Amino acid sequence: MATRVATTIVRSLTRQTSPRLLSTATGTSPGLVGAEPAVATWWIMSAPVFGARNASTMTLAEKEQKEQKEEAVGGGGGATEAAAGGQKGKEVASYWGVPPSRLTKEDGSEWKWNCFRPWETYEADLSIDLKKHHVPKTFLDKFAYWTVKSLRLPTDIFFQRRYGCRAMMLETVAAVPGMVGGMLLHCKSLRRFEPSGGWIKALLEEAENERMHLMTFMEVAKPKWYERALVFAVQGIFFNAYFVAYLASPKLAHRITGYLEEEAIHSYTEFLKELDAGNIENVKAPAIAIDYWRLPANSTLRDVVMVVRADEAHHRDVNHFASDIHYQGLELKDSPAPIGYH
């Protein structure tokens, strides 16, 4: 009697489930009729999992065809590649048809970087004046200047002359202002239905450039666990503090960033002195730096520090300029943004 009831319920449920997932011969799952009550009850409890709403966007037939095709194409080569530990041949199967990009360098070799593209590379302008300094005159300027100076003291104590790790910490902080400023200007542009004058892109471009500095120095300096923990703490505090500062006074926020970049120039100048004195080994430049700044193949760490320092000088100019715009009673959108000014 229990078996009949279970079979009846099973047949009722199979009529409600997706027909693609059932046998085309009977419309029911083979082997259930005459099964033990416990087995039938288990199948009933599991049946909703196979419903159409929980199914993949691919049908089972399409999946089987895809797997057979992959096996036919892969053959023995796939097994050899897997044995070699290569993941190169693996691709994400997408129902939406979004093609993965296939990029090459000018010499035809494969472009191996996913964090930036060939059209985002550039040659740094090393002719920029590194000695320019904004003399603080107003109260806000002095507040920004001494705030940055006070932040330098614990950094000097903690890192001392380990400039590789110091650069790593510096870039995790330096990449925050551009992202915060760009995000807030983006939201402001949406609220007011007005353009930004290109400043959203300029600030996000700055943040991305600073992030690439970090990706480069991560290849040079391997941070210890407590240095990584320090990054978490400093970034969490600085992000929120800068966010509030930008909401309260954009001219103060940009002035703080300008002075931060001046300190960065000083730190990289000291880095260069240590390299020239032989206290830090002038190793070969990381491959990511050679491709990002279009450096010669035989470039060294000193060449990388030179281009990074030039970038920081450009960011110094952009942020002091942005602060000056606000000091004149204007908004950033009133002046064209220096897009591409690294």
Side-chain angles (χ1 to χ4, degrees), residues 63-187:
K63 284 185 177 180
E64 289 176 0
Q65 291 175 3
K66 179 178 175 55
E67 290 174 359
Q68 291 173 1
K69 185 177 180 181
E70 288 176 351
E71 290 177 1
V73 173
T80 306
E81 187 174 316
Q87 301 293 327
K88 192 175 179 180
K90 288 191 175 182
E91 291 183 4
V92 177
S94 173
Y95 171 79
W96 307 106
V98 180
S101 56
R102 297 293 186 204
L103 303 174
T104 58
K105 296 182 182 180
E106 294 177 356
D107 59 3
S109 59
E110 182 183 1
W111 185 262
K112 64 179 180 178
W113 311 108
N114 290 326
C115 53
F116 67 101
R117 294 292 188 256
W119 52 86
E120 295 169 348
T121 64
Y122 66 100
E123 295 180 5
D125 177 16
L126 300 179
S127 65
I128 189 170
D129 186 0
L130 300 172
K131 297 180 180 179
K132 285 167 64 175
H133 167 64
H134 182 276
V135 179
K137 297 178 181 179
T138 67
F139 170 76
L140 283 182
D141 282 357
K142 293 177 180 179
F143 177 79
Y145 178 79
W146 288 110
T147 297
V148 172
K149 284 295 185 181
S150 64
L151 292 175
R152 179 180 165 181
L153 180 61
T155 305
D156 289 342
I157 295 174
F158 185 82
F159 290 106
Q160 297 182 4
R161 308 194 75 79
R162 292 183 297 128
Y163 287 101
C165 294
R166 187 192 188 102
M168 178 270 302
M169 169 62 73
L170 177 65
E171 300 303 342
T172 63
V173 173
V176 170
M179 181 60 65
V180 171
M183 175 185 67
L184 291 177
L185 285 180
H186 175 76
C187 293

Side-chain angles (χ1 to χ4, degrees), residues 185-195 331 333-334:
L185 285 180
H186 175 76
C187 293
K188 183 178 180 180
S189 177
L190 297 177
R191 289 195 309 271
R192 295 190 177 184
F193 308 101
E194 63 184 15
E331 294 190 17
K333 67 181 180 64
D334 299 324

Side-chain angles (χ1 to χ4, degrees), residues 24-63:
T24 55
T26 62
T28 60
S29 179
L32 270 175
V33 178
E36 291 297 327
V39 177
T41 304
W42 171 84
W43 193 92
I44 293 169
M45 296 298 292
S46 304
V49 177
F50 303 103
R53 291 187 180 181
N54 295 292
S56 170
T57 51
M58 286 184 181
T59 63
L60 289 180
E62 290 171 344
K63 284 185 177 180

